[in-house]
Amino acid sequence: MFNHWITNGTDRPFYARKTFHLSCAPAKATARVCGLGQFNLYINGQKVSDHVLDPAWSDYRKRVYYVTYDITPYLAKGENEVLAEVGNGWYIADWDYGYSFHFPPFMPPNPNPYQPFNTELIFAFEADLELTDGGHVTWEADQGWQVAEHPVRHTNSFGSEIIEGSKKDPDAWALAKIAQSSPSPDLLSEQTLPPIRVIEVREGRFLHTANGRSIYDFGLNGSGLLKVTLKGKAGVPIHLYPAEKLDEAGDTDQMAKGWMPIDVCETYIPAKDDVWEEFAMTFTYMAGRYIAIDTAPENVQDVRMEVITSAWKEAGTFHCDDERYNQIYDMIRRTVEANMLSVHTDCPTIERFAWQEPNHLMGAAILYMKDGKELWRKFLTDCRDAQHTASDRFRDFAGNEFCPGDGLVPSQAPCYIPNVLPVPGMGSFYDIIAWGSTIILGTRWHYLFYGDKSILEVNYEAGLRYFRHLQTKLDENGFISHGLGDWGNPDGAYARENIETALLYADAITLAWFAEELGLAQDAADLRKEAAQIRDHYNQELLVQDENGRWCYRSFEKRSEGLVLTQACEALPLYWNMVPEDKIPDVVDSLRQTLLEKDAFCAGEVGLPYIIQAAARYGMNELIARFITKETHPSYYAFILDGETTLGEFWETNPRSHCHDMMGHITEWYYNGLAGITPLEPGFRKVRVSPWMPESMQEMTCTYEAPQGTIRVHGQRVNGETVFSVTLPQGIEKD
């Protein structure tokens, strides 16, 4: 595949084109295309497909995605022009202009910075055409193609672009060059995950002027392609500044709390004086709710944001008559959509990195809402591609060689800026069990939701290698404790030993289940034995009695302060069935005590899903309902009252990021707590349905599209009694 990759010989965006003659119309025509880092394809002036920002991000040294298109509808008898535009993306990151990620001052300089994957942008194309006269034609990119400079002169992975209007119709075409370096054929993979698509077009509403800028509001925070019609003076730049919030003067506020300015800037340079021209983002996307344009409003029209996501296919729905629950659900759904763009980013503003932890911690919360079958396959492929071998070498702070360790799955996949060294006093941001365990626990969620055993077959060995790596990280006390613990905990109660070692047990017991499902009896027996050893040591060291003789789990991290309990410390062993059966009632009571003492969820992103699920399992739905609708933080509804349309990073007003889905675990409870839909066997072959409604609700409807069909739960209060109806498709056994 791809006999040639062509280029204009530079690291700047370019056009590539060629005209082909057809003696008759094609009966069927298929094209395979790749432009690195991002590309768009046009035939006879029409954009091919509804995709944007192809191909998917990947570690281009390990895997390169090409895209297959049906181009039959775009072709006709006679002359046919194929044109592509190619931009940077992460392939050769262009950080000469606009915001790019930098580690904050409290972290030491990174000795392993981003490295470009090539010195020139490249493009490949081949098409197979079956003609109506029975003939067959093959087209491909070669030196007969022409290339030209693109009007996008700079494009930045974090959302900045410079577009020169005078270059929109290039007149200086040259013959293409064969790329000096290009991906090996064995690195090529067909892109099968859902493409990034436009799901909504939001019109910018003019608000006012501030600091000489015209301010527009799209009404919702999100990720999208900005399009604006502008006029100005030829050659005089017009700048556009996106932001998630406004400052006190009403101008766009690009300061990320406690971080640095996210000074993303799109720039349009008009070609002519006082003529309407369109600015349209091409190779990157903006994130935010507002846009400031440094020109008068009479010079601006048609301000639009084309909202984009890879998570456009719904799997579930929820609606009730208590609007607070609907607002929370929609806030989290929009946040997920804004962060699903061929990778699962942590936020579309500050980092845009593919942090892996939500792919298991948020697994069920997202998979109930969205069809994630192919998305999760891709995320897990990224994990396998990123997994280290013993020969991988980096640099430490002194410039010496450093080996992260065989089997390590890094916290980001793909990882373009490898911060491989622990941050003094904070732990590792690279080797973190709650992040790397996606290769195991993310696989678990995929198998539970879709029942496709092939997901175990392709990920089991990688998961086992990762588990063996983790065993080398046990500390002198027999715990895993080198990561970030309960990251985001508002009290700073990270409880590393408790949380990270509970996840080590989770990895072991889950791998044992995988081995059983795959018929690997000896592996399964060995892993169950190892899991039991982890559990027994955990209980021996952490399961204690309080002054009243009640069993509970102490925070090992706080041992010098006496007996300290946290919500996460009690919840994780309950969720993962680590608690001896005779002590479960006591630990449940201890969890309830920690919840009542705070009168809120006091947890970070790692502990929170387990707290919610353990509380629901042991009859505390009333507390969950009360906590999520509180009007002050920590609370989901507090974000709604703050005016947020997407979920904040931390439990606070004006968080660092206003679009982080890492704490959105509550939607899992909407489906398995309120609607009560819980898979008991992979692929929903067997389910438990035990719905519940809080007193504030009078009616509720929830659906989930299982592999066998639609599960529907409806609840309604009739004469003071709650009546539920449940519809299950054929092929699902009800517990």
Side-chain angles (χ1 to χ4, degrees):
M1 182 182 293
F2 297 149
N3 293 319
H4 304 290
W5 291 77
I6 62 173
T7 180
N8 70 342
T10 78
D11 61 359
R12 298 299 178 188
F14 69 93
Y15 284 122
R17 74 177 184 183
K18 186 171 184 180
T19 299
F20 297 90
H21 181 81
L22 287 177
S23 59
C24 61
K28 182 180 180 182
T30 302
R32 290 166 291 278
V33 190
C34 184
L36 297 174
Q38 317 285 177
F39 75 91
N40 291 304
L41 182 70
Y42 302 84
I43 296 180
N44 296 326
Q46 288 184 278
K47 187 175 185 299
V48 175
S49 84
D50 59 358
H51 301 198
V52 298
L53 300 176
D54 278 336
W57 291 358
S58 62
D59 180 342
Y60 304 106
R61 296 185 182 92
K62 303 286 185 66
R63 188 177 307 271
V64 170
Y65 288 101
Y66 67 89
V67 186
T68 302
Y69 301 110
D70 177 5
I71 60 173
T72 314
Y74 304 93
L75 299 172
K77 179 181 177 180
E79 300 299 311
N80 292 269
E81 183 189 63
V82 179
L83 182 141
E85 49 186 356
V86 181
N88 294 68
W90 278 106
Y91 191 61
I92 306 176
D94 175 5
W95 291 349
D96 292 345
Y97 172 75
Y99 169 81
S100 59
F101 178 82
H102 299 283
F103 289 111
F106 64 80
M107 296 176 69
N110 181 24
N112 301 286
Y114 167 82
Q115 298 293 327
F117 294 87
N118 205 337
T119 58
E120 55 189 8
L121 301 181
I122 57 177
F123 174 72
F125 172 91
E126 65 177 28
D128 296 314
L129 290 77
E130 298 175 12
L131 305 183
T132 53
D133 65 2
H136 182 272
V137 176
T138 300
W139 295 345
E140 66 176 356
D142 56 26
Q143 286 172 298
W145 283 55
Q146 294 179 311
V147 292
E149 189 177 48
H150 197 279
V152 174
R153 300 313 306 138
H154 293 274
T155 180
N156 178 302
S157 300
F158 292 95
S160 297
E161 280 192 338
I162 298 178
I163 301 179
E164 293 188 36
S166 62
K167 299 183 183 296
K168 284 187 176 180
D169 297 309
D171 54 11
W173 292 86
L175 287 176
K177 302 175 182 178
I178 299 300
Q180 294 183 358
S181 176
S182 60
S184 168
D186 61 356
L187 299 184
L188 295 173
S189 292
E190 183 175 9
Q191 181 171 297
T192 58
L193 75 157
I196 302 172
R197 283 180 173 162
V198 176
I199 60 169
E200 179 185 6
V201 178
R202 298 201 63 83
E203 301 292 332
R205 180 173 63 89
F206 175 71
L207 295 180
H208 51 250
T209 57
N211 300 322
R213 300 173 175 177
S214 300
I215 311 300
Y216 293 83
D217 178 8
F218 294 110
L220 296 173
N221 201 11
S223 298
L225 303 176
L226 181 64
K227 292 189 175 181
V228 184
T229 303
L230 301 161
K231 65 180 179 180
K233 298 301 180 183
V236 179
I238 300 172
H239 301 99
L240 305 93
Y241 303 92
E244 296 185 306
K245 60 186 185 296
L246 300 178
D247 62 20
E248 292 181 357
D251 200 352
T252 47
D253 182 356
Q254 294 188 318
M255 176 59 71
K257 185 176 183 179
W259 194 260
M260 63 183 70
I262 311 303
D263 52 350
V264 173
C265 180
E266 287 88 45
T267 300
Y268 186 74
I269 304 173
K272 299 178 181 179
D273 287 347
D274 303 319
V275 173
W276 291 111
E277 302 176 33
E278 185 181 65
F279 165 90
M281 298 184 76
T282 307
F283 302 118
T284 187
Y285 63 95
M286 67 156 279
R289 173 175 174 173
Y290 304 95
I291 194 78
I293 307 174
D294 65 353
T295 188
E298 57 265 28
N299 296 327
V300 181
Q301 61 184 23
D302 297 329
V303 180
R304 290 157 286 151
M305 180 170 70
E306 296 181 341
V307 181
I308 59 174
T309 187
S310 297
W312 40 265
K313 188 174 182 181
E314 304 289 346
T317 65
F318 178 91
H319 190 270
C320 70
D321 64 336
D322 186 334
E323 193 58 25
R324 297 174 300 174
Y325 289 85
N326 300 330
Q327 290 172 314
I328 292 168
Y329 184 93
D330 289 343
M331 173 178 66
I332 295 170
R333 174 183 55 79
R334 284 192 294 268
T335 312
V336 168
E337 290 169 351
N339 281 287
M340 290 279 185
L341 294 159
S342 85
V343 298
H344 189 172
T345 59
D346 61 327
C347 61
T349 48
I350 303 167
E351 298 176 45
R352 287 197 187 178
F353 293 153
W355 294 98
Q356 285 298 317
E357 85 287 8
N359 292 329
H360 74 90
L361 295 171
M362 280 283 292
I366 296 174
L367 297 181
Y368 274 122
M369 293 192 294
K370 298 289 187 178
D371 181 349
K373 186 173 184 179
E374 294 305 317
L375 283 169
W376 256 250
R377 278 193 181 276
K378 195 271 183 179
F379 301 157
L380 293 165
T381 297
D382 289 336
C383 287
R384 295 197 308 275
D385 286 349
Q387 188 168 32
H388 285 302
T389 67
S391 62
D392 289 328
R393 292 290 185 272
F394 296 87
R395 295 290 176 185
D396 64 17
F397 295 130
N400 301 312
E401 279 196 344
F402 172 79
C403 178
D406 182 61
L408 166 63
V409 176
S411 55
Q412 298 171 25
C415 183
Y416 299 117
I417 308 176
N419 55 330
V420 300
L421 299 166
V423 177
M426 295 190 70
S428 178
F429 281 81
Y430 191 78
D431 182 0
I432 327 171
I433 186 171
W435 278 244
S437 289
T438 281
I439 193 61
I440 300 169
L441 303 181
T443 301
R444 168 183 178 260
W445 282 123
H446 191 287
Y447 187 47
L448 276 172
F449 270 74
Y450 305 116
D452 184 349
K453 194 172 287 186
S454 69
I455 203 71
L456 307 184
E457 294 167 351
V458 295
N459 289 301
Y460 174 73
E461 288 298 331
L464 188 60
R465 283 183 60 216
Y466 178 60
F467 178 67
R468 297 303 177 210
H469 164 76
L470 290 171
Q471 289 177 309
T472 70
K473 307 294 286 189
L474 288 164
D475 65 19
E476 65 276 10
N477 296 302
F479 295 124
I480 296 291
S481 62
H482 63 281
L484 301 179
D486 191 19
W487 181 251
N489 188 292
D491 286 350
Y494 298 119
R496 288 175 172 85
E497 290 83 1
N498 295 64
I499 287 176
E500 296 187 356
T501 312
L503 288 174
L504 182 67
Y505 173 80
D507 285 350
I509 204 68
T510 302
L511 282 170
W513 177 48
F514 291 173
E516 290 165 353
E517 293 290 288
L518 294 171
L520 305 172
Q522 189 58 57
D523 274 17
D526 292 345
L527 285 161
R528 287 202 175 275
K529 182 178 180 181
E530 291 178 271
Q533 292 170 344
I534 296 167
R535 180 198 62 213
D536 292 348
H537 173 74
Y538 191 93
N539 288 335
Q540 178 182 334
E541 296 296 323
L542 301 176
L543 184 58
V544 299
Q545 289 177 288
D546 65 15
E547 65 275 11
N548 298 315
R550 180 183 60 185
W551 291 95
C552 57
Y553 285 87
R554 65 176 178 136
S555 170
F556 190 83
E557 167 180 277
K558 301 286 187 179
R559 61 193 181 280
S560 63
E561 301 175 24
L563 180 59
V564 176
L565 312 185
T566 75
Q567 296 173 8
C569 288
E570 310 311 307
L572 266 81
L574 284 170
Y575 180 92
W576 287 110
N577 301 312
M578 300 174 71
V579 186
E581 188 171 352
D582 62 325
K583 296 176 176 61
I584 290 176
D586 276 5
V587 178
V588 169
D589 193 45
S590 296
L591 173 61
R592 183 179 289 106
Q593 174 194 325
T594 63
L595 294 170
L596 292 173
E597 284 176 351
K598 292 289 186 179
D599 195 32
F601 291 126
C602 187
E605 62 165 322
V606 181
L608 185 60
Y610 302 114
I611 295 166
I612 294 171
Q613 290 299 308
R617 182 189 297 178
Y618 293 104
M620 297 178 234
N621 279 326
E622 292 90 348
L623 286 180
I624 298 171
R626 178 153 61 87
F627 290 177
I628 70 172
T629 55
K630 285 171 64 71
E631 296 188 354
T632 56
H633 288 294
S635 158
Y636 292 100
Y637 189 57
F639 283 119
I640 301 296
L641 296 180
D642 286 341
E644 302 290 355
T645 61
T646 50
L647 187 64
E649 181 177 13
F650 300 119
W651 299 114
E652 59 185 351
T653 298
N654 187 24
R656 185 183 76 125
S657 161
H658 293 246
C659 190
H660 245 76
D661 70 4
M662 72 179 193
M663 302 279 256
H665 314 97
I666 195 61
T667 56
E668 179 182 0
W669 178 76
Y670 275 57
Y671 285 87
N672 68 12
L674 294 175
I677 304 167
T678 305
L680 300 180
E681 293 184 6
F684 284 76
R685 294 193 301 266
K686 183 177 182 180
V687 301
R688 176 183 301 122
V689 184
S690 52
W692 175 85
M693 285 202 314
E695 291 184 1
S696 65
M697 282 186 200
Q698 301 301 307
E699 189 169 9
M700 170 190 74
T701 303
C702 182
T703 67
Y704 174 68
E705 196 66 28
Q708 301 85 347
T710 304
I711 301 172
R712 183 179 186 273
V713 177
H714 178 260
Q716 189 171 12
R717 295 197 193 279
V718 179
N719 298 323
E721 297 293 324
T722 306
V723 178
F724 292 105
S725 64
V726 177
T727 304
L728 295 178
Q730 289 186 348
I732 293 182
E733 178 186 350
K734 185 178 180 182
D735 179 54

